[in-house]
Amino acid sequence: MNRDEMYMKLAIEEAKKAQQLNEVPIGCIIVLNDEIIGRGYNLREQLQNSLVHAEMMAINNACKQLKSWRLEEATLYVTLEPCPMCAGAIIMSRVKRVVFGANDPKAGCVGSLHNLLQDNRFNHQCEVKSGVLEEECGQLLTSFFQDIRKRKKAAKQQREE
């Protein structure tokens, strides 16, 4: 297992924490000099706050740990391609490198819909690597949404009986 896969496994562990709370299972870690400086997972439903995506939580934690808003030499690992908000936060915090697992065709802004992280109109661009443990990352999301659909269908059937 290479270094990117090793760290993505840790991001997957963060995603599983979200899943245990019935949150969309997306996890993120930020690494600097082989040390994890930030961790995060989705808490949008728990906190009823649209800003608490996995990446936003991890960036906030990393900035607090470093006592700096600049994450210039850090690598961010996230299980799902960042959305526009998270891609913006990644740019603004000057993350050097982003590694993600599954593509997000509905909201992804690191190649699927746009590629904000490598747009040279911004004053900062990131190195990007996609598809790391893509199947495992994607399966977490697929099973989560399948379970939701099953529960909704079962609840509907109970109401009709």
Side-chain angles (χ1 to χ4, degrees):
M1 178 180 329
N2 68 36
R3 190 174 279 342
D4 286 340
E5 290 172 347
M6 178 187 79
Y7 285 126
M8 187 61 73
K9 287 268 188 199
L10 296 174
I12 290 168
E13 291 307 311
E14 293 298 310
K16 289 177 181 177
K17 292 176 185 176
Q19 187 173 29
Q20 290 171 350
L21 298 171
N22 288 321
E23 292 278 354
V24 177
I26 301 169
C28 180
I29 64 163
I30 300 176
V31 176
L32 179 65
N33 300 323
D34 278 329
E35 179 186 343
I36 296 171
I37 59 168
R39 295 175 183 269
Y41 52 89
N42 273 1
L43 286 171
R44 193 167 56 174
E45 296 298 327
Q46 293 289 309
L47 299 179
Q48 289 298 298
N49 182 335
S50 58
L51 301 176
V52 289
H53 287 196
E55 300 96 320
M56 301 295 279
M57 301 297 287
I59 289 169
N60 189 46
N61 291 332
C63 290
K64 282 181 182 176
Q65 181 161 330
L66 292 181
K67 295 179 176 55
S68 174
W69 62 271
R70 293 178 181 269
L71 303 176
E72 292 173 318
E73 295 301 316
T75 299
L76 182 144
Y77 294 86
V78 63
T79 56
L80 184 67
E81 178 182 359
C83 73
M85 174 181 68
C86 294
I90 289 165
I91 291 167
M92 298 309 291
S93 60
R94 310 292 196 267
V95 169
K96 180 177 184 175
R97 185 167 176 261
V98 172
V99 178
F100 69 89
N103 289 330
D104 184 353
K106 293 183 179 181
C109 280
V110 187
S112 290
L113 299 176
H114 297 286
N115 189 347
L116 295 177
L117 298 186
Q118 295 181 317
D119 187 327
N120 63 10
R121 293 174 293 177
F122 290 111
N123 67 341
H124 177 76
Q125 292 81 43
C126 302
E127 297 171 31
V128 174
K129 183 175 181 181
S130 61
V132 175
L133 300 182
E134 181 176 12
E135 192 172 314
E136 193 172 340
C137 292
Q139 188 55 46
L140 266 174
L141 292 157
T142 300
S143 1
F144 176 78
F145 287 113
Q146 284 174 343
D147 289 346
I148 286 177
R149 285 190 290 276
K150 284 179 192 172
R151 286 195 302 262
K152 284 183 179 179
K153 186 176 179 180
K156 182 179 177 185
Q157 287 174 342
Q158 277 187 332
R159 286 192 304 271
E160 291 174 354
E161 289 177 0

